[in-house]
Amino acid sequence: MRYAYFPGCSLHSTAKEYDISTRAVAEALGIELLEIPDWICCGATPAHITMHLLSLALPVKNLLLAKEMDSYEVVTCCAACFSRLKIANKIMREDPEHRAGVNEIVGQDYKGEVKVRHFLDLLVNVYGLSNLSEKIAKKMDGFKVACYYGCLLTRPPEVTKLDDVEEPHMMDDIMRAVGVKTVEWPYKVECCGASFSLTKTDIVLKLSGDILQMARDEGADAIVVACPLCQSNLDLRQPEINRKLKKKFDMPILYFTQLVGLALGIEPKKLGFDKHIINPAKLLV
Amino acid sequence: MKWFISHDTLRSPFQATIERHCKERIGHCYQCGKCSAGCPIAFQMDYLPNQIIRMIQLGMEKQVLSSRTIWLCASCLTCTVRCPREIDVAEIMDYLRRCAYKKGVIPIEETEIPLFNKIFLRNIELFGRLYEMGLIGMYNILSGEFFKDMALAPKMFLKRKIGILPPRIKNSKEIKKIFRESGRLGRTRRDKLLHPKLIFLNISRKIIGKIERFK
Ligand code: SF4
Ligand code: SF4
């Protein structure tokens, strides 16, 4: 299995552990991820609320780079990149007016033919959960996790085509397949405040605080995420949440790839467990 | 608050323009309020998302474009997936922001968000990928919050989560071209990308806020 890999800006900086653990898991499972050479930022939220054409041209440029690699499937891990790439593809397929504009901007002809997959999708629907279960090397039933999906992984469903919008279960399925216990909780698709981390920090603190509270109330020992923005809002800002909202959260926020890697018997050091602000050491014993 | 709706607003082409650009049927909204019920940011907004939709129907362009709501919307798409009339409320919010940018309507409050967006885009235009240090530094300077998140920076360095030097990639010429052409085709004036008035408003608000807290 070979795929063009689009890490995105976050996975090269604030979410390094997501990148490291994804590559480690892919290697252990025999999935080849080839990084798209000279990929550029997908534009994220600031692009689509400022200039519509730009927000399409940036992802399309990346998809074109992937096409040059002769790889007709792109794999990404970041929920925001995933959403931008998927939306760009859909518009390029269905909207001739925008297609003409974007093709003029990038100077190439593109009709939305490069497929885009989230790494979650790859594990569940291509690799298969039963195949994954067979590879378990380490038992991990000493703790319970709450799987948090956030906004962009499942919405809008006609674009992402990934999971149920209100009750997603893909990550829960993976966790159970590798032997990690999950809790049922109602905040799976709540919003963490997303890109307001720098601008409206108060909003982020409140929304992320609510999510942490609900996870703790439902008996979770850690939260598992698939989005670098969710992770940094919940992990990096957790000390600030504790200070401002007078709470005592000590909730590790992990990427699903890190736990899958652990279950496959990969050393914690190779999965970036040392990069968290809230130390997950208590789960690793 | 009292609103005066005149013949002129009712006959304004505002709704029709949005419907054409977003390919949405705003007239279909029957004001059930489901979009606002699920909106995570509703508690901070001046008008709820369903009110914005109603104001569009009534042609209240000025109030809509200068509202705080359009900037506070986090693009989480909750409203879009839940609307029983299948109106893409989030896309309409997007359109309204782009419209405000184009017309140069600068919000009096929530200036941080447009400022941040512009700094972010400038950053991508220069480096091709996000250069966090540049983004945070620039944002802190231009927004007047010089020491924001200073405590986090050393931790991030130690964990090697942010680098000091900007990323370097080969196709920087092509990126500049993408930005230039998008601006041209979308008729967005890119020289307004860092609007002085926006920066001034932001800094003055921050300083006034600090003085008031000090008192
Ligand atoms: S959910 Fe849809 S129909 Fe209901 S108020 Fe909002 S936009 Fe209107
Ligand atoms: S997309 Fe905007 S308006 Fe809609 S629910 Fe999310 S924050 Fe609220």
Side-chain angles (χ1 to χ4, degrees), chain B residues 127-164:
Chain B
F127 303 110
R129 294 176 191 170
L130 191 60
Y131 170 38
E132 270 88 1
M133 275 308 282
L135 176 75
I136 297 170
M138 190 80 164
Y139 175 74
N140 281 6
I141 293 170
L142 292 182
S143 69
E145 297 204 49
F146 306 117
F147 303 110
K148 192 166 187 294
D149 295 325
M150 275 311 224
L152 283 176
K155 273 191 212 160
M156 303 276 284
F157 275 129
L158 283 180
K159 300 206 181 259
R160 306 257 233 97
K161 281 196 154 195
I162 46 178
I164 301 178

Side-chain angles (χ1 to χ4, degrees), chain B residues 14-44:
Chain B
F14 193 40
Q15 179 184 346
T17 318
I18 300 178
E19 290 195 340
R20 197 174 58 245
H21 279 277
C22 304
K23 301 189 180 68
E24 295 296 326
R25 305 295 296 273
I26 294 171
H28 280 186
C29 167
Y30 49 32
Q31 287 295 307
C32 67
K34 205 173 171 191
C35 48
S36 307
C39 175
I41 320 281
F43 73 106
Q44 288 273 327

Side-chain angles (χ1 to χ4, degrees), chain B residues 35 38-41 45 49 72-79 89-90 93:
Chain B
C35 48
C39 175
I41 320 281
M45 290 174 169
L72 284 173
C73 163
S75 305
C76 73
L77 301 174
T78 312
C79 46
V89 184
M93 293 283 179

Side-chain angles (χ1 to χ4, degrees), chain A residues 122-136:
Chain A
L122 184 63
L123 287 189
V124 175
N125 295 327
V126 181
Y127 194 80
L129 290 174
S130 48
N131 293 345
L132 195 62
S133 310
E134 280 167 20
K135 294 241 173 181
I136 299 179

Side-chain angles (χ1 to χ4, degrees), chain A residues 262-277:
Chain A
L262 214 55
L264 294 176
I266 303 170
E267 273 177 70
K269 244 195 295 170
K270 289 190 185 148
L271 295 167
F273 275 100
D274 53 337
K275 293 200 182 292
H276 296 264
I277 298 290

